[in-house]
Amino acid sequence: MFMLGPVGFATPLLLLGLIGLPILWLLLRAVPPAPIRRRFPGVALLLGLQDDDAEADKTPWWLLLLRMAAIAAAILAFAGPVLNPKPRQAGSGPLLIAMDATWADARDWPRRLDRAAALVDEAGRAGRPVALVRLTDAPEEITFQSADALAPRLVGISPQAWSPTNSAAWVPVLPAGGFDTFWLSDGLDHPGRAALMAALSAKGAVTVYESPRPVFALHPPRFNEGAIAIAATRLPVGAEVGVEVSARGPDPSGIERELARVPLRFAAGEGRAEVALSLPPELRNRITRFEIAGLRSAGAVSLTDDSLKRRKVALIGGREDREGLQLLSPTHYLRQALAPVADLMEGSIADILLASPDVVIMADIARVSQTDTDALLDWLDGGGLLLRFAGPTLAASDVSRMDEDPLMPVRLREGGRTVGGAMSWGEPKSLAPFAEDSPFHGLPAPDDVTVTAQVLAQPDPDLAERTIAALADGTPLVTRKAVGQGQVVLVHVTSNAEWSTLPLSGLFVQMLERLAVSTRPAAPEAGDLAGQIWVPEMVLDAYGQPQEAGDMPGQQGEALAQAIASGPGPALPPGLYAGADRRIALNVVSDEMVLAASSWPSGTVIEGLEAPTEQALKGIVLTVGLILLMVDILAALLVSGRLSGLGLGRKAAAMAMLMALMTFTPGGARAQDSLADVPKDDGFALQATTGLVLAYVLTGDSRVDEVSRQGLIGLGNVLFARTSVEPEAPVGVDIERDELAFFPFIYWPVVDSQTLPSAAAYSKLNDYLRTGGMILFDTRDGDTAGLSGGSTPEGRHLQRLAAGLNIPPLEQIPADHVLTRTFYLLQDFPGRAVRSPLWVEAAPPDAEQVEGMPFRNLNDGVTPVIIGGNDWAGAWAVNGAGAPLLPVGRGFAGERQREMAYRFGVNLVMHVLTGNYKSDQVHVPALLDRLGQ
């Protein structure tokens, strides 16, 4: 393709026709031919006569120029001009398209697919075979095929939620012979990239495509000094920039929503930023994931597991009131092991159960009162864990001797057992390997962990089933039984170092973790996961969206530990994996991961995905040429004198020249009829006043703004079909810049990230409300719009937003409010949610109900503010085909709910347009008949 500035020509040889234009000029100049001069005496008789029909002796220069321009336009048009043509790469052999297709590509995946499709299309026109590979897949044989066969597959190609483990593994499967390569890179450095690049360069030319957009990655959160530490990384490092991190999880009703949001700022020149988020334990334990707001990438999402959910553990010691060394305290080692990873509480059984602990640990406590026993059993039925440790007090008591105590897993022998002491002939006993069905399976049993004393269990038939850890001689060390939804566990040694060295070892902490007593805030080690099967509960796709794990098989703990260290892959995608007693999150980005930019050999051609749109100019240039030819016809008639009979003369010539000039003016005089060419403020005013226009507030969240627009379109369609109201297309308004007085109704979706209006904007809003406008505030959270305490981020933001507005006193909409009957008779006002009440301006105190009339005598005003949280725009929204955009409820009940949402919208608009017209007593008979009274 021949390039001339930003314009390219698909058939440049046709441009050679422009060389013939000077010759054409000379030919046209000679038509009509110049007359031969002859002296004729009879010409004297013609002197003084006037000839009405005059003919020029030569073609005028301006007509020649017009014809030359028309012919030049035709030549240019058939040469195939293209504005901003995409570069065409030289080459005639096979073409390999290599795509990283990682989580970092998800942010602009549609553009990458478009680029790949253009490459395939270009290869098809050139007759080149083509192949496409995703480097995140397992290497397999590469086969070149025709572009027509490959093109339909492009639609189904999607990025993966992991990075290539070793790009060099593709080198052995590269096709033999030479070929060119187009590498669509994610911009990050991956293992084996240099080796693959060298192999591809040896095969032929390599062109690299990279996106100029930055990459953001969110690291796993850590619990540090009472707060959640959140860290993120960016690439490339540049100027100061800020992002927002959102914490999401289920609310008390089980609906996932945003629970908290915190800003995170990258300082200039810094690639990593951190922030601390402090939340109450009840809210912190609900968080299921953190994500960078507005980014659709698995790297911008960090799942949380049990390491962030610090359990509430109650410690009750049997000998805390005795004087003695701190190291002899029954709860000393427990407190040291659990303080960094759990919220500890101490007190009486009755007091601590009121705080709903996750675990209760009783160290050397024998007897429990009947009242406390009943309370503990009720707590166990709800899923609690009672962990008991033996000791001298328990060994000397008769608890669980003859009959099994309800708070003990087994019956106990009297007196206990002592080995390896001064009064014993035996040696201290070591631990036996943990059985496969034990929660401790896979943990090493250190040789230095020995037992010198223990309480023994009675050899009942179910003892073996309840034993989950034993000594080398087979005597039980830890026993367990289920009680309701919970369980009771007994460690047959003390919780201090009196009877064993277990509390002094790291195995003690690991056993507590396996029992789900504590959680470790750092990444788990291989030994913590070994010996267990981890089943995926949920996985992430490349866009960071949770997906059902389906029938994915469980994975060995060793493989999961390797994936946590090196990153997820095809066999172990990022997600949440559940073991016997805990869950582990496998994230795309680890805590130690550092983003490194890809490095390419010198001389490598690197192109960006951002490029001007290619536009064919053939039709435009050909149209210009045809217009010039039409003008030429008119001008030729003028020159030949054919138009003089019509009385046009020089006016026609002026018109022809004007038309010629218009063809070279972009848009011509037609721009006067376009709103785009009038001043911006006037254009907005014309757009808002051409008819009835419903408006919505632009929040800055593109997804929310689009739902608002489509919601008002859907409501407008219903109004057009059912009423005499025919609204125009809805308009988004910027409350800081746009005039609000043009709109009778404004829908305002409350978004907690939206900045508060300025003083000037507040003044404009108050003037709008005071002069008859109406604003519907929709928090879209199903809550009471923050009026009951601001229990959601949207509700709290609405409270801050409303602080600067002159809002009259509000009340929940009464049954006789005119909004319930402006068009439909309504008592409920659902949207996508149904629970949120509707708040309107309170009726005046002197509004009284006339005897015999069902409605109060209200004035003709319209409530300036309506507040709710049922997400009405989401229920109204339709797509381009007119079908509902978002789901509402389930089945027939959901469609009925959507219909009631539409009816509320109709009543709302009719109320805005007619005020309290329906309260007039002339309508009472008809309304009474409809109400069946």
Side-chain angles (χ1 to χ4, degrees):
M1 177 174 287
F2 174 73
M3 296 293 298
L4 187 62
V7 180
F9 294 90
T11 314
L13 291 179
L14 289 179
L15 296 177
L16 296 177
L18 296 176
I19 300 176
L21 290 179
I23 301 174
L24 185 61
W25 174 281
L26 296 177
L27 292 176
L28 294 175
R29 186 72 175 173
V31 177
I36 299 175
R37 294 180 178 272
R38 292 284 189 269
R39 185 180 298 277
F40 180 61
V43 173
L45 299 175
L46 303 177
L47 295 177
L49 296 179
Q50 298 292 332
D51 188 357
D52 294 334
D53 296 328
E55 295 185 6
D57 61 342
K58 63 178 68 175
T59 304
W61 68 266
W62 55 266
L63 183 57
L64 286 176
L65 182 62
L66 186 62
R67 291 174 178 175
M68 298 285 286
I71 296 174
I75 295 174
L76 292 175
F78 288 110
V82 179
L83 181 64
N84 301 318
K86 294 180 180 177
R88 304 293 191 266
Q89 302 295 331
S92 58
L95 173 66
L96 174 64
I97 303 174
M99 306 181 74
D100 280 344
T102 68
W103 56 269
D105 287 338
R107 68 193 190 280
D108 48 21
W109 186 249
R111 297 181 182 177
R112 294 176 182 272
L113 277 186
D114 292 343
R115 192 69 185 94
L119 293 172
V120 172
D121 181 65
E122 180 184 349
R125 292 197 303 269
R128 306 176 65 183
V130 63
L132 187 146
V133 297
R134 290 187 306 184
L135 299 182
T136 47
D137 294 336
E140 58 184 5
E141 182 181 357
I142 300 175
T143 304
F144 290 102
Q145 54 188 317
S146 67
D148 292 338
L150 180 61
R153 292 176 44 206
L154 292 177
V155 180
I157 297 177
S158 60
Q160 307 283 19
W162 52 85
S163 301
T165 54
N166 184 15
S167 299
W170 284 90
V171 175
V173 299
L174 292 178
F179 56 86
D180 295 335
T181 304
F182 291 86
W183 192 334
L184 281 86
S185 168
D186 62 0
L188 302 180
D189 191 23
H190 301 296
R193 169 155 292 188
L196 179 59
M197 182 64 183
L200 293 175
S201 299
K203 296 289 186 178
V206 179
T207 303
V208 176
Y209 290 83
E210 287 188 351
S211 172
R213 299 178 61 186
V215 178
F216 290 91
L218 191 63
H219 296 278
R222 296 175 289 104
F223 194 83
N224 184 27
E225 297 182 356
I228 302 173
I230 302 172
T233 303
R234 65 168 173 170
L235 189 74
V237 176
E240 180 181 1
V241 67
V243 296
E244 290 189 335
V245 179
S246 172
R248 303 190 66 86
D251 62 9
S253 62
I255 301 175
E256 183 178 282
R257 65 174 67 253
E258 185 177 81
L259 302 178
R261 179 174 289 209
V262 59
L264 184 68
R265 298 205 64 83
F266 290 88
E270 295 293 332
R272 185 182 176 100
E274 296 188 4
V275 68
L277 176 62
S278 181
L279 295 173
E282 292 77 8
L283 190 60
R284 182 186 65 225
N285 290 342
R286 290 183 178 275
I287 297 176
T288 58
R289 72 179 188 272
F290 291 89
E291 59 184 32
I292 299 178
L295 293 184
R296 296 181 69 246
S297 170
V301 176
S302 182
L303 300 174
T304 64
D305 52 22
D306 293 343
S307 63
L308 196 64
K309 298 174 175 59
R310 290 167 58 93
R311 289 173 172 81
K312 292 187 291 185
V313 179
L315 296 180
I316 304 176
R319 294 175 289 162
E320 295 292 344
D321 56 344
R322 294 175 48 185
E323 295 183 2
L325 296 176
Q326 183 179 11
L327 296 180
L328 297 181
S329 168
T331 58
H332 171 73
Y333 292 98
L334 290 169
R335 191 177 292 108
Q336 294 298 315
L338 297 176
V341 292
D343 295 329
L344 301 181
M345 59 181 68
E346 300 186 41
S348 64
I349 294 178
D351 292 337
I352 62 175
L353 290 182
L354 293 176
S356 300
D358 299 298
V359 182
V360 173
I361 299 180
M362 298 170 56
D364 195 19
I365 292 180
R367 295 194 174 276
V368 180
S369 68
Q370 188 61 43
T371 301
D372 291 342
T373 298
D374 294 339
L376 284 171
L377 290 175
D378 291 340
W379 172 76
L380 286 170
D381 285 338
L385 170 65
L386 176 60
L387 177 60
R388 304 190 66 168
F389 285 86
T393 302
L394 181 61
S397 69
D398 59 354
V399 173
S400 200
R401 291 286 190 266
M402 301 301 297
D403 297 320
E404 182 178 296
D405 190 276
L407 299 180
M408 296 288 286
V410 294
R411 292 192 306 125
L412 302 177
R413 292 186 184 182
E414 184 177 355
R417 175 195 187 195
T418 303
V419 294
M423 303 299 293
S424 172
W425 293 98
E427 296 293 333
K429 300 299 180 182
S430 60
L431 275 63
F434 299 110
E436 291 186 1
D437 58 349
S438 169
F440 311 130
H441 177 66
L443 294 179
D447 295 334
D448 57 348
V449 175
T450 58
V451 174
T452 58
Q454 67 176 135
V455 293
L456 296 176
Q458 293 282 6
D460 293 330
D462 54 1
L463 178 60
E465 177 184 347
R466 297 183 180 183
T467 301
I468 57 177
L471 299 180
D473 60 0
T475 55
L477 177 64
V478 183
T479 53
R480 177 177 65 176
K481 78 170 181 180
V483 178
Q485 298 294 322
Q487 55 184 343
V488 177
V489 179
L490 173 64
V491 181
H492 291 239
V493 296
T494 57
S495 57
N496 56 21
E498 285 187 71
W499 288 9
S500 74
T501 59
L502 178 62
L504 303 177
S505 68
L507 178 63
F508 185 66
V509 177
Q510 292 176 320
M511 292 176 69
L512 292 177
E513 292 174 359
R514 289 289 180 93
L515 290 173
V517 175
S518 64
T519 53
R520 178 174 297 183
E525 299 179 356
D528 301 329
L529 308 180
Q532 299 186 70
I533 299 297
W534 298 85
V535 180
E537 290 185 346
M538 176 269 292
V539 295
L540 290 180
D541 62 14
Y543 302 101
Q545 300 301 310
Q547 307 290 333
E548 294 292 337
D551 298 330
M552 291 182 58
Q555 301 291 334
Q556 294 287 342
E558 294 82 357
L560 180 58
Q562 177 65 27
I564 292 175
S566 60
L572 276 164
L576 205 59
Y577 292 80
D581 294 300
R582 63 184 296 192
R583 297 188 303 172
I584 295 294
L586 175 59
N587 287 302
V588 173
V589 181
S590 64
D591 188 49
E592 297 80 13
M593 181 176 178
V594 177
L595 298 182
S598 55
S599 178
W600 306 101
S602 60
T604 303
V605 179
I606 301 177
E607 300 179 3
L609 293 176
E610 301 291 341
T613 304
E614 182 179 276
Q615 181 180 2
L617 300 178
K618 180 177 181 179
I620 298 175
V621 178
L622 190 59
T623 301
V624 171
L626 292 176
I627 294 175
L628 291 176
L629 289 177
M630 295 175 62
V631 176
D632 173 71
I633 294 173
L634 184 63
L637 293 175
L638 173 66
V639 172
S640 64
R642 303 290 180 85
L643 297 179
S644 59
L646 300 177
L648 298 178
R650 296 185 178 274
K651 294 182 179 180
M655 184 182 302
M657 292 300 297
L658 180 61
M659 292 179 62
L661 291 174
M662 286 172 57
T663 61
F664 295 100
T665 303
R670 295 187 302 268
Q672 296 176 3
D673 299 326
S674 173
L675 290 179
D677 292 320
V678 301
K680 180 174 177 55
D681 293 341
D682 294 344
F684 179 81
L686 289 173
Q687 183 183 11
T689 55
T690 52
L692 175 64
V693 177
L694 306 180
Y696 60 94
V697 172
L698 296 173
T699 64
D701 188 321
S702 59
R703 184 185 64 84
V704 174
D705 293 343
E706 181 62 15
V707 170
S708 299
R709 185 185 70 84
Q710 293 170 317
L712 293 184
I713 290 176
L715 178 59
N717 293 341
V718 173
L719 287 166
F720 186 88
R722 303 183 186 183
T723 72
S724 60
V725 178
E726 299 180 358
E728 301 291 333
V731 172
V733 296
D734 185 341
I735 57 177
E736 297 288 346
R737 185 185 68 247
D738 295 332
E739 177 59 53
L740 306 181
F742 302 131
F743 309 101
F745 168 77
I746 297 178
Y747 174 78
W748 192 326
V750 179
V751 178
D752 63 327
S753 59
Q754 185 180 17
T755 58
L756 294 178
S758 63
Y762 268 125
S763 176
K764 187 190 305 182
L765 287 168
N766 288 324
D767 290 342
Y768 174 77
L769 296 176
R770 186 175 59 254
T771 55
M774 175 193 285
I775 299 179
L776 171 60
F777 290 98
D778 188 355
T779 59
R780 304 170 296 107
D781 55 5
D783 192 48
T784 57
L787 296 179
S788 61
S791 59
T792 66
E794 293 80 6
R796 291 190 291 270
H797 186 72
L798 177 59
Q799 289 180 333
R800 295 190 295 268
L801 185 66
L805 296 175
N806 295 330
I807 297 179
L810 302 178
E811 65 177 352
Q812 289 194 28
I813 184 169
D816 64 345
H817 195 277
V818 69
L819 189 56
T820 65
R821 59 186 187 277
T822 50
F823 195 86
Y824 292 103
L825 296 178
L826 301 176
Q827 290 301 325
D828 298 313
F829 312 95
R832 294 190 72 201
V834 297
R835 297 182 304 168
S836 175
L838 199 66
W839 296 80
V840 297
E841 181 182 5
D846 57 350
E848 298 180 357
Q849 181 171 337
V850 180
E851 184 178 358
M853 298 298 174
F855 312 119
R856 287 175 294 174
N857 184 18
L858 301 175
N859 58 22
D860 290 334
V862 175
T863 174
V865 171
I866 298 180
I867 298 178
N870 283 335
D871 190 10
W872 288 287
W876 299 334
V878 295
N879 57 22
L885 181 68
L886 301 175
V888 174
R890 295 181 179 178
F892 176 78
E895 293 308 313
R896 178 63 178 171
Q897 181 176 331
R898 189 189 303 276
E899 171 61 23
M900 298 306 293
Y902 278 131
R903 293 187 178 188
F904 165 67
V906 172
N907 276 23
L908 186 63
V909 174
M910 299 300 288
H911 178 48
V912 172
L913 300 178
T914 64
N916 285 335
Y917 159 75
K918 285 288 186 175
S919 287
D920 292 345
Q921 296 182 8
V922 68
H923 298 286
V924 168
L927 293 174
L928 288 177
D929 182 64
R930 290 288 305 279
L931 291 172
Q933 298 181 6

